[in-house]
Amino acid sequence: MRIAVLPGDGIGKEVVPVAVDVLKAVLPGAEYVHIEVGHERFLREGVAMSEEDFENVKKCDCILFGAITTPPKKCYRSVILTLRRELDMYANVRPFKSCMVSPYNVDFTIYRENCEDLYCGMEEVSEDMVLSTRKITRHASERIARMACRRPGLKKLTIVHKANVLRSCELFRNVCIEVAKELSVPYEEMLVDAMAYSLIRDPSRFDTIVTTNLFGDILSDEAAALIGGLGLSPSANIGDRYALFEPVHGSAPDIAGKGIANPIAAVLSAKMLLEWAGRGKEAEMVQRSVDRTLADGVLTPDLGGVYKTSDVRRSLLKYLEAP
Ligand code: NAD
């Protein structure tokens, strides 16, 4: 298996190498293709990801990604949005499962549509007004709904939208309901504002959530807080040909370079890569090493601990070497 490794910027450069070491411990035969992309590259070379980089990514089976700094004043096309769109990785799958350091007991997965919505890049910008187009299609709504409905062990689907106000959400909602009925999946629907409230009020009632791109982006950072933070929250971007695995968090410039970034979200993203590749046994080994590391109290400051990224790495590898 060829894995493209794109650490990106900031703490991406600190947590992705830990995830690669973990993968190497359980998957020694894989080939790792390192590619530098992102803001730091842009500042140096005037390009965040070249055509050649993109072609090299396409030659790999899957991608392990860190995070990219995207300054508000747009100076280049977002690398992650480009990869998601160009490689048609239409499903952003974000599992939130409590562990021993989590403040709440939750176990649900958000399926976020990954290629449309306000992120489609159709914007008319003038000095006093910006018009952003929200694109929602039957095709994209249907395929994310189908993937959510086919989640192994699904108990109930929650369709999140704002169809009382937005016609685009009405289409998304109707298509999701059609798919749920066709596949005989029990479902409920919830307006996104009520969902933001219920996620905090009663998070244990949720199982499988399907929603549009922007709502999924926001709700998943909220969900990350329920399990103990962004440092514990992995994700997968899945398409029919390519898949990219990345922590939910960004490049965290406030802690970058201090050696205290929590690498577990990146490591659990590598675990999702193993599951996607059909390496269930290796994925379980990684999960066990994470559980044992947390049980030992080897925690970075975001989890209330005093340990460094390198300490967590050492503990994970120790448990992988002596399972
Ligand atoms: P962020 O996720 O980088 O950080 C939010 C907060 O969580 C910060 O206080 C940070 O220190 C903390 N945090 C995040 N991950 C952590 C970890 N692994 N360990 C310990 N603490 C962690 O969000 P932000 O600050 O809003 O964004 C910073 C930059 O990242 C921005 O330029 C943004 O555009 C970019 N970003 C990129 C992606 C991506 O590439 N997929 C995703 C989100 C944000």
Side-chain angles (χ1 to χ4, degrees):
M1 180 161 50
R2 273 166 76 92
I3 303 172
V5 179
L6 281 63
D9 299 311
I11 65 166
K13 285 190 159 73
E14 300 169 40
V15 296
V16 167
V18 179
V20 170
D21 287 345
V22 163
L23 279 176
K24 283 181 177 168
V26 295
L27 216 57
E31 187 187 343
Y32 299 88
V33 180
H34 293 264
I35 302 172
E36 193 195 349
V37 295
H39 189 233
E40 290 161 31
R41 164 111 182 258
F42 176 80
L43 292 179
R44 217 179 47 244
E45 296 178 25
V47 60
M49 178 175 67
S50 67
E51 279 301 319
E52 191 189 343
D53 297 329
F54 184 57
E55 289 307 313
N56 286 333
V57 167
K58 285 203 291 189
K59 286 181 198 146
C60 295
D61 299 298
C62 59
I63 305 151
L64 184 65
F65 187 86
I68 296 230
T69 301
T70 312
K73 210 163 183 214
K74 245 185 178 169
C75 49
Y76 56 82
R77 259 178 101 199
S78 160
V79 172
I80 186 67
L81 293 189
T82 304
L83 287 170
R84 286 172 182 161
R85 204 166 33 232
E86 298 295 322
L87 301 181
D88 200 25
M89 296 182 289
Y90 57 85
N92 195 309
V93 183
R94 298 182 159 188
F96 297 94
K97 188 167 170 38
S98 295
C99 60
M100 56 200 69
V101 298
S102 302
Y104 297 93
N105 185 23
V106 301
D107 184 2
F108 60 80
T109 297
I110 296 180
Y111 285 76
R112 163 191 172 197
E113 197 291 317
N114 219 14
C115 297
E116 300 198 324
D117 202 342
L118 285 163
Y119 295 64
C120 66
M122 293 192 281
E123 299 197 302
E124 276 175 48
V125 183
S126 61
E127 207 176 327
D128 298 319
M129 183 165 67
V130 176
L131 291 175
S132 301
T133 299
R134 184 175 204 240
K135 179 182 172 195
I136 301 284
T137 63
R138 169 171 288 277
H139 170 67
S141 305
E142 188 176 327
R143 60 186 183 171
I144 188 70
R146 285 191 186 281
M147 193 178 283
C149 285
R150 292 187 176 128
R151 180 187 175 205
L154 176 145
K155 295 188 193 85
K156 184 183 65 182
L157 181 72
T158 304
I159 304 163
V160 178
H161 57 73
K162 188 75 181 166
N164 57 336
V165 176
L166 301 170
R167 296 297 304 273
S168 48
C169 266
E170 199 179 310
L171 175 63
F172 181 80
R173 167 200 179 267
N174 291 347
V175 172
C176 288
I177 290 176
E178 278 168 31
V179 172
K181 283 184 175 161
E182 181 197 318
L183 299 179
S184 304
V185 164
Y187 71 89
E188 62 177 354
E189 52 182 310
M190 200 168 267
L191 296 176
V192 65
D193 39 352
M195 183 69 191
Y197 176 76
S198 298
L199 260 189
I200 301 294
R201 183 89 187 164
D202 189 12
S204 60
R205 60 174 282 214
F206 296 107
D207 173 62
T208 305
I209 296 161
V210 66
T211 191
T212 51
N213 202 342
L214 177 62
F215 296 163
D217 194 2
I218 296 168
L219 290 176
S220 48
D221 268 35
E222 188 186 348
L226 298 171
I227 62 161
L230 286 163
L232 295 172
S233 305
S235 79
N237 299 263
I238 309 280
D240 293 333
R241 162 74 181 83
Y242 292 99
L244 178 151
F245 303 86
E246 56 167 341
V248 171
H249 64 72
S251 59
D254 55 338
I255 58 164
K258 295 184 178 163
I260 55 167
N262 188 345
I264 288 181
V267 168
L268 291 176
S269 303
K271 179 201 151 193
M272 292 182 82
L273 183 158
L274 291 165
E275 286 167 342
W276 172 84
R279 308 300 288 252
K281 191 174 116 260
E282 289 83 355
E284 273 173 31
M285 286 165 65
V286 172
Q287 183 65 59
R288 228 175 6 250
S289 72
V290 167
D291 292 342
R292 289 178 178 178
T293 296
L294 294 174
D296 285 350
V298 183
L299 308 176
T300 42
D302 56 307
L303 299 179
V306 295
Y307 288 90
K308 299 212 146 211
T309 313
S310 54
D311 299 316
V312 179
R313 173 187 174 276
R314 202 172 305 115
S315 172
L316 292 166
L317 294 179
K318 177 184 80 180
Y319 282 122
L320 286 171
E321 279 157 19

